[in-house]
Amino acid sequence: MKPKQSVRIGGGSGFWGDSPAGPLQLVRHGDIDYLVLDYLAEITMSILARAKAQKPGLGYATDFVSTVVGPLASELARKGIKVIANAGGCNPSACCEALQKELARRGVKLRVAAVIGDDVSHLMEALRAEGSTREIWTGEPLPDDVLTANAYTGAFSIARALDEGADIVVTGRCADSALALGPLIHTFGWKPDDWDRLAAGSLAGHVIECGVQATGGYATDWKLVAKDWADMGFPIAVCEADGSFTITKPPGTGGMVNFGTVAEQVTYETGDPTAYILPDVVCDLSQVRVEEIGPDAVRVSQVRGKPATPTYKVSATVPDGFRSLATLFVRGMEASVKARAMGEAILVRTRRLMKEEGVEDYTHTSIEVLGSEEGYGAAATQREWREVVLKIAVRHTRKEALEYFSREIFPAATAMAQGIGGIFGGRPKIQPVMRLYSFLLDKRRVQQQVEFEGRVIPLEQPATIDVVSTATTDHCPSHVRGDEPTNASGGTQPVRLIDLAYARSGDKGDTSNIAVIARDPKYLPVLAAQLTAEAVASHLAHVVQGRVQRFDWPGLHGFNFLMEEALGGGGVASLRFDPQGKSHAQMLLEFPLHVPASWSVQRQ
C-alpha cells in the first residue's frame, strides 16, 4: 500500500462549550481524515473534578458523547473519519465507557480507546515531602490543598492508540496541539527524534486548536469577516509528510483564511518564539514562513524543532476562597461618576455591616465602570458618559461572608441614584475561586497507559527525555535595532499601530502576550524603534504590574510582547471583567506612531 502523502485534520472545537456546528460542518463538508476536539482549560479541570467527586462516573465532557459522537457516529463510520478529543477530562475511562454505550445504542461499530496517566494528584504528598517543587512563575512551594494536578502529556500515546486500531481516542489533560500531532505520528511514522517534523506538526495543531480563531474569528481586520460571523468555517490543516501544512476551511463556509488570520493564530498564547516548549519537542517558530497560496489557503513551513525537555508542565488547581460579581446598568447625566460613587458606597456599606458582625474584610475588591473607557488608562477619552455598566466584584476566604455583598446590591436601586437598571437576574452568585499553580515534573514519574478493548497497554517514555534541551523556562528576549523615520524634506505623519500591523493577545495564568505583525516588512524598523518594551509597558501600565519583554519574530516580521502580572491573577482568580486579556491587543493597536510623510499608509 502506498503511504499517504497528506492528511486532512479538522479542528472542530476550541473549548468546552464551542458550537456543535463545527464538528458537523467538518464531517459533512470538510473531506477530513481526522476530527480533533479541544475541550480543556485549567478551570475546566477543576469543574470536572468536582463533578467526579459528586458522582464517580462523571468528570468528563458529557456533551462530547451526546452532541458530537452520538449524532455523527454513522457518518464517522461510513467515511472512516477518526476522532481525537481531550474530552476525557478527569475521567477518560468513564468517557470511553459512555462512548461505547452510546455507539452500541445506535448500532454503530467504532473502536474506542482512552489514554490515561496525566493525573498526577497521587504524587502531591511525596512532592511536598521532597520540598523541591516550585511554581514556575512565582517560586511558591507546593500548596497543601491541591484539588487537581494534571501533566500536559504528549502525542505518542495518542499515536499508539491509533496504531492499535482505535477509531476514537479520548485523553485527559494532554497538550492541545498533541491532539493533531498524534495522528501525524501515526500516519507518517515520525520518530521521537524527528524534531523538525514534530515541531511542524505541533504548530499545525496549535493553529487549529482554537477553532475559528484561525479562519477569521478574533481577527484584527474584523470588518472583512463580520458579514460571515453567522456561518464561520472551521479550520482544516492539510499536513504533509515533511511537516509543512496548509490551513483552509470547508468550501462555501464563512470566514477567511489569509496571512493575517493564520499568522495571528501562530502567535497566540506564546512567549519566546525560539523556544515554544511542548511535551514532545521544543519548537523554534522564529523563522516560520506563512504564505497565501490560493483563496482561503495558507501554507506554513520552515518550522524547526529542538530536543524535548526532561519534564512535563503540570497544571494544578488550588482552592482560594470565593468570589461574587455584580453588574448594574446606569443611565443619565454624569453616569460614570455616578456609577463609581455607587460602587464605592456599596463596598463601604457592606464592610461596615461585616465589621459589626465580626467578619473580616474582603481579600480583594474591584470596581470597573464599563463604557467609560477606564480600561484604557491614561489613553481614555475624556468626556461625560451617559450610559455605563457598573461592575463590582469581591473575594473572601469564606463563602458566607460574601452574602453581605450579595444581598446589598438590589437596595442600590432605591437607596442611591436614579437611572439604575439591569438587576433582574437575581442576587449575585457566590462562586468558588480556583487558583492555577503550574510546576515542572520529571517525565519518568508520569506513567501513561492506553485502555483499549479490555487491555491496558503501558507506554514507555521516549528516550529523548534524557537529552539536555537548549530550551528553558527562562525567557531571554533578543533586541532589534530600529530606525526612526527620517525625511528632512517631507517630515512625518501620525498613524496608529493598527495601520501598520496586525496584533493578537493571549493568556497563560497571570501572563498576557501580544504579538505584533507588520502588514508590510518595510514597517518593521519603525515598529522596532518606537514600539519598545518600555513604550508598551507605559501604554498598558494600568493593567500590567509586572515586567514587559519584547521578543523578535523575524519570520513574521514582528514582535511578541510578554507581560507578567497583567491579568489580576488570571482566570477565575481575577476580578477583572477581562481576566484573559482579550482586549489587550485592541488597546495596543491604538498606540500612536509616526512614519515618513512620503509613505502611503492605508488607514484601518
Side-chain angles (χ1 to χ4, degrees), residues 74-219:
S74 296
E75 290 179 80
L76 293 170
R78 186 174 70 253
K79 295 182 176 181
I81 298 171
K82 297 183 183 293
V83 180
I84 300 93
N86 57 14
C90 294
N91 204 345
S93 300
C95 183
C96 183
E97 183 178 348
L99 283 168
Q100 291 167 334
K101 290 180 179 178
E102 179 67 13
L103 292 169
R105 185 179 73 81
R106 293 176 178 268
V108 178
K109 293 184 178 180
L110 290 172
R111 306 173 74 187
V112 185
V115 176
I116 61 174
D118 62 288
D119 184 352
V120 295
S121 55
H122 61 283
L123 297 176
M124 295 303 102
E125 185 175 349
L127 291 175
R128 268 188 227 99
E130 293 166 14
S132 59
T133 299
R134 293 292 183 271
E135 210 280 334
I136 291 174
W137 294 100
T138 67
E140 176 193 354
L142 186 64
D144 292 331
D145 50 350
V146 171
L147 177 64
T148 66
N150 296 82
Y152 282 80
T153 56
F156 282 90
S157 55
I158 296 170
R160 177 61 183 273
L162 294 169
D163 292 344
E164 293 290 331
D167 299 306
I168 301 174
V169 181
V170 294
T171 75
R173 174 72 283 185
C174 66
D176 300 341
S177 57
L179 300 173
L181 180 58
L184 298 177
I185 294 171
H186 164 70
T187 302
F188 298 131
W190 293 346
K191 304 302 181 185
D193 58 356
D194 285 332
W195 307 121
D196 289 348
R197 293 181 179 86
L198 293 175
S202 296
L203 181 58
H206 173 76
V207 171
I208 67 172
E209 73 188 32
C210 291
V212 295
Q213 283 191 190
T215 57
Y218 199 42

Side-chain angles (χ1 to χ4, degrees), residues 350-369:
T350 53
R351 278 174 162 145
R352 190 190 75 238
L353 294 173
M354 292 162 62
K355 186 176 181 179
E356 290 172 353
E357 296 295 327
V359 177
E360 60 272 25
D361 195 8
Y362 301 117
T363 56
H364 301 81
T365 64
S366 171
I367 297 174
E368 292 179 85
V369 182

Side-chain angles (χ1 to χ4, degrees), residues 322-324 398-403 406 428-432:
F322 299 85
R323 57 174 271 168
S324 186
R398 295 191 293 131
K399 181 178 181 179
E400 58 271 20
L402 294 185
E403 292 290 349
S406 180
K429 295 179 180 179
I430 299 172
Q431 301 172 313

